[in-house]
Amino acid sequence: MATDVKPTRKNLMAIEDRIELSERGHDTLEQKRDGLIMEFMDILDQAQDVRSGLSEDYEDAQEAIDIARAMDGDLEVRGAAAALETHPEITLQSHNIMGVVVPQIESSKVKKDLGERGYGVMGTSARIDEAADAYEDLIESIILAAEVETAMKKMLHEIETTKRRVNALEFKLLPELKENQEYIEQKLEEQEREEIFRMKKIKDKKEEDEREARETAETEANERPEGEVAVTSD
């Protein structure tokens, strides 16, 4: 409340400094919010493409494995899968987007040549090879989707946080500071008017006293008999 602020010039200067600082912070946060939204829209477009690609890769992988199981048998497919000796490796790094740290996932040993899958090339059919290819593509899509989705969630969280800060400055702190500023200015103006009025009264009273003193002196001079000299004591 403005009435809780002591109306002094020192407090007025402090509030004016806070208003200036808050307005600069508000402008900076607005720019950050707008920049984050633009970056988020770019990531959102990328996420939509990734989701579409992930859905297609999943359908392709399911179709390929269903064909392999139907034609070669579930035991043959499981045997080929169990022969795998090297597994995908994931390296998690990060990069900064306008102050937001988002993950950057690097993968290796996902895509493999026929000789790297562990099963005998002559002992399996092309259908199992195609299923393996499809699932390797699916794994790469899943890794990319995880990176993009996580970045999107982090960006969205930062946008919401920044928006709350902007709103807090715009609709709460700045109005309260400006209300306090107006209150102090009004009180100081009232004090200044009262001081001017008081000084005017003092001046008028002094002039009146001087006038009365002159009138008294003139009256006494007029009432003194001719030839009488006023005696003053040292």
Side-chain angles (χ1 to χ4, degrees):
M1 294 295 293
T3 54
D4 295 334
V5 182
K6 189 174 182 180
T8 64
R9 294 197 177 277
K10 181 179 179 181
N11 285 342
L12 178 61
M13 293 176 62
I15 288 175
E16 288 173 344
D17 289 342
R18 288 190 64 191
I19 289 175
E20 182 181 358
L21 181 62
S22 298
E23 287 177 341
R24 288 204 304 267
H26 178 268
D27 293 341
T28 300
L29 286 173
E30 275 194 328
Q31 294 174 5
K32 179 181 179 181
R33 179 200 61 194
D34 295 341
L36 286 170
I37 290 174
M38 293 180 63
E39 293 288 346
F40 175 78
M41 296 306 296
D42 291 339
I43 295 176
L44 181 60
D45 291 338
Q46 184 182 0
Q48 291 174 342
D49 294 338
V50 170
R51 288 172 182 172
S52 177
L54 178 60
S55 178
E56 292 177 0
D57 288 342
Y58 177 76
E59 292 177 359
D60 291 343
Q62 282 295 105
E63 181 179 356
I65 199 69
D66 289 342
I67 293 174
R69 284 174 173 171
M71 301 299 294
D72 298 314
D74 190 66
L75 185 61
E76 188 74 16
V77 172
R78 288 179 179 274
L84 185 64
E85 295 178 354
T86 59
H87 298 278
E89 295 180 358
I90 302 297
T91 302
L92 184 61
Q93 298 178 345
S94 62
H95 66 284
N96 192 302
I97 301 178
M98 296 194 66
V100 183
V101 178
V102 298
Q104 186 172 5
I105 303 175
E106 300 291 341
S107 61
S108 61
K109 300 181 181 179
V110 176
K111 298 289 291 183
K112 299 179 178 64
D113 296 332
L114 291 176
E116 297 174 331
R117 289 176 179 162
Y119 56 77
V121 178
M122 301 302 296
T124 57
S125 67
R127 291 177 291 273
I128 292 179
D129 295 336
E130 291 172 358
D133 288 336
Y135 268 90
E136 288 171 355
D137 291 338
L138 177 60
I139 291 173
E140 287 191 333
S141 294
I142 291 173
I143 293 171
L144 179 59
E147 177 182 322
V148 174
E149 293 284 342
T150 304
M152 189 170 62
K153 290 179 180 179
K154 285 182 172 291
M155 293 291 292
L156 185 59
H157 178 268
E158 188 65 21
I159 289 171
E160 292 298 326
T161 300
T162 305
K163 285 174 62 177
R164 285 196 296 270
R165 291 174 179 171
V166 170
N167 291 339
L169 286 170
E170 184 173 350
F171 299 111
K172 189 175 188 302
L173 181 59
L174 279 170
E176 288 179 355
L177 289 173
K178 290 180 179 180
E179 182 184 358
N180 291 340
Q181 180 188 28
E182 292 176 2
Y183 169 75
I184 294 178
E185 288 174 345
Q186 290 175 358
K187 287 297 182 181
L188 291 176
E189 288 175 1
E190 290 176 5
Q191 293 174 7
E192 186 176 354
R193 287 195 297 268
E194 290 175 357
E195 182 65 16
I196 292 174
F197 179 74
R198 188 179 69 84
M199 295 299 296
K200 187 176 183 300
K201 288 191 66 177
I202 293 174
K203 181 181 178 182
D204 292 344
K205 182 66 170 59
K206 182 179 180 181
E207 291 176 351
E208 183 180 355
D209 292 343
E210 291 175 350
R211 185 175 63 254
E212 289 178 353
R214 286 195 304 270
E215 290 175 354
T216 300
E218 290 173 358
T219 301
E220 290 177 351
N222 292 334
E223 291 178 350
R224 188 178 304 114
E226 294 183 5
E228 181 178 344
V229 178
V231 179
T232 59
S233 58
D234 293 336

